[in-house]
Structure formats: structure tokens, C-alpha cells
Amino acid sequence: GKNSIFLKFREINLKKPALATVGTNIDGTLSLNFNTWNLSRISGAGMAEITDIRYGKIRLDTLLLKLEAQEGFWTLQEGSRLVVQKTSQFFVNGEMSRDRELDVNLYTNRNVLDTLSRRLNLMEIQGIGSLELKITGPVNNPDVAGSVLLD
């Protein structure tokens, strides 16, 4: 069969239904086209775009995930990214197998660290940074390896 979902949401507070321990404010859209509700056999494509994210004192601009599934094998496509602010972006791509095994890359290049630290409510950090992370293994306990370069 063919199934389609389009969901638009605004000012969602995940604390109210006890899905988060701090107040949130989330806007966004979810659009999916898929063939079955059986997640181990699902095929289809979609996009999730969450904007104006506020999680406690953390503020993020956009989380964009471009997804594709083929017989339960999920791919995060190029162009998927987390935008903290225009000068602070993280890009992600990779895969999740039917067995819920990850092979994901997360990277950023020339990230403005004072923007990042301010938006994530961290101690003040200055400079420019680059990051490459490789996330592999089971979803519930992945391995993370990578490198950080600070200017």
C-alpha cells in the first residue's frame, strides 16, 4: 500500500506530555511517503524540518533530516544538518540497518565557537573549530570516534 503523512506543528512543549524534563518550544514539519507500517520492511522517503528549537536554555535554528528507507534500511541523506546559527552548522549523513546498527558521520568545518557556546548555554569559548565524528554500532550503545581541530 501507499501511505503519506504530512504534519505541521508549532510551539510544541514536550514537557507537558512528560516527554522532556525541561520546557521546550519546537516548530516544524514532517513529510513521509512509505509503503508499510512494518519498520523492518519499510521503504519510502521523507523529510523532517524542526525550526526555532528551544530546549531549556539551549537555542537552535533548524534540524533538517532527509530520510530514505529501502526494505527497513534507513539512510540519512546529504543535506541533513543541524543549524545552531548561520555560522555554526553540523552536517550529518549515514545509515541505520534493519538490525538498528548505525554507521553515521557528523561533521562541521570552520564553526564559530562563541556562537555555538552561547546557543548551547556552555562556558564561553572563542575561536573557530572543525569536528569529524563517526558513530557506529547499535543504536542503544553506539561507539563514537573522531577528531576536533581548534583555531
Side-chain angles (χ1 to χ4, degrees):
K2 291 202 175 225
N3 302 287
S4 292
I5 294 175
F6 180 79
L7 177 64
K8 186 172 186 173
F9 47 94
R10 184 161 172 76
E11 297 181 9
I12 299 295
N13 184 348
L14 297 176
K15 187 175 182 181
K16 289 185 178 181
L19 295 174
T21 57
V22 298
T24 65
N25 181 27
I26 301 172
D27 299 342
T29 58
L30 174 66
S31 174
L32 296 172
N33 296 301
F34 55 99
N35 66 337
T36 180
W37 290 93
N38 180 341
L39 295 181
S40 65
R41 294 184 36 233
I42 195 169
S43 292
M47 185 173 74
E49 183 174 27
I50 302 171
T51 58
D52 191 29
I53 303 162
R54 306 223 187 284
Y55 185 82
K57 294 182 179 181
I58 296 172
R59 295 184 348 242
L60 307 172
D61 283 354
T62 305
L63 174 62
L64 177 65
L65 300 176
K66 296 180 178 183
L67 305 165
E68 186 173 300
Q70 189 66 40
E71 291 294 318
F73 187 86
W74 288 87
T75 303
L76 268 171
Q77 297 176 322
E78 289 290 334
S80 296
R81 63 188 174 274
L82 172 64
V83 180
V84 177
Q85 199 173 35
K86 188 175 181 179
T87 59
S88 182
Q89 298 187 43
F90 295 83
F91 301 92
V92 62
N93 62 58
E95 304 164 342
M96 183 178 73
S97 71
R98 281 181 205 89
D99 300 326
R100 299 177 47 100
E101 293 281 325
L102 295 174
D103 185 4
V104 175
N105 302 297
L106 175 73
Y107 57 96
T108 186
N109 195 13
R110 310 267 327 138
N111 197 309
V112 177
L113 298 178
D114 61 336
T115 299
L116 180 64
S117 66
R118 191 173 55 255
R119 286 296 193 98
L120 296 182
N121 196 37
L122 301 172
M123 66 180 180
E124 188 173 325
I125 304 171
Q126 299 286 324
I128 304 293
S130 298
L131 167 79
E132 290 183 21
L133 289 180
K134 182 79 168 173
I135 304 163
T136 56
V139 170
N140 61 347
N141 189 24
D143 295 320
V144 178
S147 63
V148 176
L149 176 64
L150 302 174
D151 291 340

